[in-house]
Amino acid sequence: MNETDFNPWTIRNTIDNLTEELEAYPDNAPILSELGHALTKSGEHQSAIDYFTAAIKLNPNNASFRAGRGIAHAVAGHDGLAIDNFTQALLIESENVAVLSARGFAHLAGDTYQLAIDDFTMAIDFGVDDPEVFYARGKAYWALALAGPGDPDQEDVKQAIGDISEAIVRDPGESERYFTRGVIYSWETDELDLAIEDLSVAIDLKLKTDAKSHLVSMYHLRNMVYRTQSQFDLAVEDATDIMRLLPDESWPVRCRAITHLEWGKPEQAIGDLNEAIRLGQQGESELLERGRAYAAMGDYDKAITDYEWYLQFDPD
């Protein structure tokens, strides 16, 4: 489904060449479709949709043309129109696993989780072994587990973990999958060790790449799990790593301060909170936490002063 990974020079040459061919053969539906695919990859979604539409007018019973228009709508964020086009394609080729998977991704993007699960399940039943499809179905099950009232539905949680595990077995090199499974485990009080294990693998894999996206979220979640496990030394290390990634933001410093405070180290917490206040973001929260730290040290005068300053920010 990723239509954006391409060499811009190569794809532009492809578009130019196809445009020349189309001038010579203006009613050639395959050329129109190929041009639609190339324009989708280049990010020119509306032009792509127009070319697919022209191809469909010439050959309305071609499932691939309708699926191509669906992909163009999907990458443009038009989830409903994408689903409509994929459904039209499936009316022509009901067992087209690529289109079933694509419609599943569109349902997932549109938050219709059960429909996404149904499409992914049909694709898998027809023989799809793509780890991305298993991972996507796992995410849909997890979203469905969270959608109801109260605690997550345990059957959906089990299905989510099973599918994400299947994706990891098929392709163990994707950090996001370990992170997502770690998030799920972190909700289960008897699975926190597994959460830490998955989050650690996710961080190690991410550190091996140049792309550091999601690292902050990974460190932050592991920090919270370590704190739940009273592994405060490791929690402090994670908060410190977040501080290195976000040196100009106060909340990572506050995160380390809270960790120190929970660890029973109010002096270190005060040092962190002084730095967080110096950075000048979310000052009222830092004052409240510093007041707690002073109180833990028995310095009640300074604690009262911080609480009074805090109440000026939040009188309620």
Side-chain angles (χ1 to χ4, degrees):
M1 282 294 294
N2 189 343
E3 290 284 336
T4 58
D5 294 337
F6 67 95
N7 183 319
W9 302 108
T10 301
I11 202 67
R12 180 47 55 187
N13 287 337
T14 299
I15 291 170
D16 291 342
N17 291 336
L18 287 169
T19 301
E20 288 183 11
E21 289 185 40
L22 193 62
E23 289 176 356
Y25 306 99
D27 294 328
N28 187 304
I31 295 175
L32 287 164
S33 175
E34 286 300 311
L35 192 51
H37 283 295
L39 289 164
T40 300
K41 292 179 181 179
S42 73
E44 300 171 65
H45 306 132
Q46 187 54 56
S47 294
I49 290 165
D50 292 342
Y51 280 110
F52 282 122
T53 300
I56 291 167
K57 287 180 179 178
L58 291 169
N59 190 346
N61 295 318
N62 187 300
S64 68
F65 296 167
R66 295 183 182 276
R69 189 169 66 178
I71 291 172
H73 277 300
V75 296
H78 310 150
D79 299 321
L81 291 171
I83 290 166
D84 289 345
N85 278 272
F86 294 139
T87 300
Q88 291 167 13
L90 288 166
L91 290 174
I92 300 168
E93 295 181 11
S94 61
E95 297 184 9
N96 188 316
V97 293
V99 180
L100 277 169
S101 300
R103 190 173 68 176
F105 284 109
H107 278 307
L108 183 58
D111 299 337
T112 47
Y113 304 122
Q114 187 58 60
L115 292 175
I117 289 167
D118 293 343
D119 278 344
F120 292 137
T121 299
M122 282 190 285
I124 290 168
D125 288 346
F126 285 135
V128 165
D129 200 38
D130 184 351
E132 272 301 308
V133 173
F134 280 95
Y135 179 52
R137 189 173 70 171
K139 289 195 295 182
Y141 271 121
W142 175 235
L144 200 62
L146 296 176
D151 293 333
D153 181 87
Q154 287 303 303
E155 186 59 36
D156 288 335
V157 169
K158 181 180 177 181
Q159 293 282 358
I161 291 173
D163 275 344
I164 296 170
S165 298
E166 289 289 343
I168 289 171
V169 167
R170 286 163 172 75
D171 182 6
E174 290 291 331
S175 67
E176 181 186 337
R177 295 169 190 163
Y178 291 97
F179 176 56
T180 303
R181 193 172 66 178
V183 170
I184 298 172
Y185 281 137
S186 74
W187 280 66
E188 306 295 316
T189 55
D190 58 344
E191 303 286 10
L192 294 180
D193 288 339
L194 292 174
I196 290 171
E197 182 180 326
D198 271 349
L199 293 168
S200 298
V201 174
I203 290 168
D204 288 344
L205 287 170
K206 184 61 71 172
L207 287 171
K208 292 176 182 177
T209 71
D210 292 331
K212 298 299 187 290
S213 60
H214 304 306
L215 257 181
V216 168
S217 298
M218 293 174 184
Y219 279 127
H220 192 208
L221 180 57
R222 192 172 67 175
N223 163 273
M224 291 188 288
V225 177
Y226 277 141
R227 285 157 52 194
T228 301
Q229 297 281 74
S230 297
Q231 295 176 268
F232 296 112
D233 54 337
L234 297 173
V236 166
E237 290 180 11
D238 278 349
T240 302
D241 282 326
I242 300 172
M243 289 166 60
R244 281 195 285 266
L245 290 168
L246 302 173
D248 298 322
E249 295 192 25
S250 68
W251 76 262
V253 190
R254 178 172 175 264
C255 176
R256 191 172 71 175
I258 292 172
T259 305
H260 275 134
L261 195 55
E262 292 175 356
W263 195 2
K265 296 189 174 186
E267 289 187 34
Q268 288 89 334
I270 289 169
D272 282 339
L273 291 164
N274 288 340
E275 175 62 15
I277 291 169
R278 186 193 66 79
L279 288 169
Q281 299 170 356
Q282 298 177 331
E284 63 273 21
S285 298
E286 280 72 25
L287 286 168
L288 178 62
E289 298 300 339
R290 193 173 65 177
R292 289 176 56 204
Y294 279 129
M297 292 177 63
D299 195 338
Y300 299 112
D301 288 340
K302 289 183 178 178
I304 290 170
T305 298
D306 274 349
Y307 289 147
E308 288 175 344
W309 277 105
Y310 170 74
L311 289 172
Q312 291 186 31
F313 285 102
D314 187 2
D316 296 326

